[in-house]
């Protein structure tokens, strides 16, 4: 149920989402609706967005089924580029080659092959282009949904780098797994909002992700602080399972290859005060001495790893946070655990439990 505060915030949130969606559509389709009704047109005509997208998605799925008919032999592209039914075998006239003695010597082979092969390649490329274009439109609808589910954030007027956008398009339109498509969609909408958020390397990392790898990355994101994952001796992440997770993350270039000790300084000059956010939770660490330094054994996230974690919307592992909290408390600090959430353009921390 919406509160009065939620209602009062709704127009402002809608304005942020509107700007975000319009910029997204411009980046994807350069002013053309791309066969989809643009967010702007939906607003102007007071359409039901969900109903519009349901109809469009049904049309995309139907078109994909039609194209799949080519692969199964039930459909074909005629010389005019139209998708038509393949005639039944019993309706196909017997080719003269069947009764031609030239078949024995193979004299007929290759007579018309250059032109025939070119036509075949053109049709094959046309089918692939259609499949990729349809897939891109599915991801566009997914991007829209991700924006509407996200907390509003400032949208820069700076355009997305043309090379970045081209690389994203060429890569994303060949990703057909729905789970992987979510990460590509999130990367795009965050880059649209703030160009420069993701470098080209993160796309290379996304391209090498298998579905199994994705599951490992999602699990790892439950333990990821902004720069590292805590992995002290005898800590929560010391099992064979977690060791395998670390190895896969290293292979993917998301984690450094060895554990190290980091010293974390206070965010305040008056006393030691530090917030360590991990997904939807955070640890608040305090001490009366401002110049005190907190030492932790960690495995550092690489630059690509930090960017990848932004794409994984997971809930922090509470047992892991409690384990780290006890480790920090043993060094003489007071520790509290709480909620970490985005409100507008800023994160807010709310204490839930003192350890």
């Amino acid at each position: 149920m919406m509160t009065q505060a939620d209602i009062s915030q709704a127009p402002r949130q809608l304005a942020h989402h509107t700007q975000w969606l319009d910029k997204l559509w411009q980046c994807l389709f350069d002013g053309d609706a791309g066969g989809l009704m643009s967010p702007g047109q939906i607003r102007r005509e007071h359409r039901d967005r969900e109903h519009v997208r349901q109809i469009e998605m049904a049309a995309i799925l139907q078109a994909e089924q039609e194209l799949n008919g080519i692969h199964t032999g039930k459909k074909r592209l005629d010389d005019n580029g139209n998708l038509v039914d393949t005639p039944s075998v019993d309706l196909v006239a017997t080719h003269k080659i069947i009764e031609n003695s030239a078949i024995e010597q193979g004299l007929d082979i290759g007579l018309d092959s250059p032109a025939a092969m070119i036509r075949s390649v053109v049709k094959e490329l046309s089918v692939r282009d259609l499949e990729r274009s349809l897939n891109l439109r599915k991801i566009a609808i997914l991007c829209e949904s991700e924006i509407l589910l996200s907390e509003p954030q400032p949208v820069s007027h700076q355009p997305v780098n043309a090379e970045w956008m081209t690389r994203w398009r060429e890569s994303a339109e060949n990703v057909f797994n729905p789970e992987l498509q979510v990460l590509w969609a999130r990367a795009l909408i965050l880059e649209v909002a703030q160009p420069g958020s993701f470098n080209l390397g993160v796309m290379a990392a996304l391209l090498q992700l298998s579905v199994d790898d994705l599951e490992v990355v999602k699990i790892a994101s439950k333990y990821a602080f902004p720069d590292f994952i805590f992995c002290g001796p005898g800590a929560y992440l010391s099992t064979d399972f977690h060791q395998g997770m670390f190895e896969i993350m290293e292979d993917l270039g998301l984690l450094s290859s060895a554990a190290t000790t980091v010293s974390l300084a206070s965010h305040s000059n008056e006393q030691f005060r530090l917030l360590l956010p991990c997904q939807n939770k955070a640890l608040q660490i305090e001490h009366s001495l401002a110049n005190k330094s907190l030492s932790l054994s960690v495995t550092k996230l690489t630059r690509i790893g930090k960017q990848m974690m932004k794409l994984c919307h997971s809930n922090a592992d509470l047992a892991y946070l409690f384990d780290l909290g006890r480790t920090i408390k043993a060094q003489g600090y007071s520790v509290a655990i709480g909620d970490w959430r985005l409100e507008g353009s800023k994160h807010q921390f709310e204490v839930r439990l003192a350890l």
Side-chain angles (χ1 to χ4, degrees):
M1 183 175 181
M2 293 184 70
T3 65
Q4 190 63 40
D6 293 329
I7 295 173
S8 64
Q9 273 192 317
R12 185 174 60 182
Q13 291 182 351
L14 181 60
H16 279 294
H17 285 150
T18 296
Q19 184 184 4
W20 202 353
L21 287 169
D22 288 346
K23 187 177 179 184
L24 168 71
W25 233 252
Q26 181 65 36
C27 289
L28 278 172
F29 303 114
D30 196 22
D32 185 357
L36 302 174
M37 185 171 284
S38 71
Q41 185 178 358
I42 289 175
R43 293 194 304 272
R44 289 191 299 272
E45 298 181 8
H46 305 288
R47 302 287 189 112
D48 183 326
R49 186 196 66 83
E50 289 190 11
H51 182 62
V52 168
R53 297 305 184 216
Q54 286 174 357
I55 294 174
E56 291 172 337
M57 186 62 77
I60 291 172
L61 295 176
Q62 179 61 38
E64 288 182 331
Q65 289 179 355
E66 294 283 331
L67 287 174
N68 189 55
I70 295 178
H71 301 304
T72 60
K74 296 179 181 179
K75 299 280 185 178
R76 66 181 179 86
L77 283 176
D78 63 18
D79 292 336
N80 295 319
N82 298 313
L83 194 63
V84 297
D85 292 332
T86 301
S88 177
V89 173
D90 56 3
L91 297 178
V92 179
T94 302
H95 197 284
K96 63 181 179 180
I97 191 174
I98 295 176
E99 298 178 354
N100 192 333
S101 61
I103 190 172
E104 298 177 1
Q105 296 88 25
L107 299 178
D108 64 316
I109 296 175
L111 292 180
D112 296 321
S113 61
M117 285 185 180
I118 290 174
R119 287 195 297 271
S120 176
V121 169
V122 169
K123 290 180 180 178
E124 182 181 341
L125 290 175
S126 297
V127 171
R128 289 181 180 177
D129 285 343
L130 284 170
E131 288 175 333
R132 287 193 288 262
S133 294
L134 289 171
N135 195 44
L136 184 67
R137 280 146 184 79
K138 286 168 64 177
I139 297 176
I141 294 174
L142 178 58
C143 286
E144 180 182 62
S145 297
E146 286 289 323
I147 286 178
L148 294 173
L149 290 172
S150 299
E151 284 290 331
Q153 60 176 284
V155 177
S156 171
H157 293 291
Q158 178 184 350
V160 176
N161 178 273
E163 181 183 359
W164 192 99
M165 193 66 222
T166 299
R167 187 81 62 87
W168 182 93
R169 182 190 298 273
E170 292 174 347
S171 302
E173 65 186 7
N174 288 298
V175 176
F176 292 88
N177 180 277
E179 293 181 78
L180 293 171
Q181 286 179 337
V182 170
L183 295 192
W184 285 93
R186 289 174 182 169
L188 177 61
I189 66 171
L190 293 176
E191 184 69 18
V192 166
Q194 295 296 325
S197 297
F198 297 94
N199 58 25
L200 295 177
V202 79
M203 281 189 272
L206 284 172
L207 278 175
Q208 67 175 324
L209 275 185
S210 67
V211 177
D212 290 339
D213 290 337
L214 176 58
E215 288 305 309
V216 173
V217 172
K218 285 181 178 179
I219 292 171
S221 70
K222 296 175 179 288
Y223 313 122
F225 292 97
D227 300 309
F228 59 80
I229 294 177
F230 170 65
C231 60
Y236 183 73
L237 302 184
S238 59
T239 65
D240 292 340
F241 168 78
H242 292 123
Q243 184 57 40
M245 176 192 75
F246 282 121
E247 291 174 355
I248 292 173
M249 290 285 285
E250 289 169 17
D251 290 342
L252 293 171
L254 307 181
L255 276 179
S256 59
S257 58
T260 186
T261 299
V262 296
S263 295
L264 304 176
S266 172
H267 291 164
S268 170
N269 293 325
E270 299 177 359
Q271 65 173 28
F272 186 97
R273 182 179 174 85
L274 178 66
L275 279 173
L276 283 181
C278 178
Q279 294 295 344
N280 62 322
K281 300 293 181 180
L283 292 177
Q284 178 180 268
I285 306 158
E286 295 181 332
H287 195 281
S288 58
L289 299 177
N291 60 352
K292 194 171 176 62
S293 180
L294 174 63
S295 295
L296 295 175
S297 179
V298 304
T299 298
K300 288 189 174 182
L301 291 163
T302 64
R303 183 184 180 191
I304 300 301
K306 295 175 189 177
Q307 295 180 17
M308 187 73 77
M309 293 302 101
K310 295 178 183 178
L311 304 178
C312 299
H313 298 171
S314 305
N315 290 326
D317 186 305
L318 289 177
Y320 163 74
L321 291 182
F322 275 106
D323 180 67
L324 174 56
R326 286 191 292 267
T327 299
I328 296 172
K329 191 173 181 180
Q331 297 185 39
Y333 296 87
S334 61
V335 182
I337 188 170
D339 296 330
W340 182 253
R341 57 176 176 267
L342 184 67
E343 293 184 1
S345 60
K346 295 182 179 180
H347 278 92
Q348 301 292 333
F349 175 73
E350 183 178 355
V351 175
R352 290 298 182 185
L353 178 66
L355 301 184

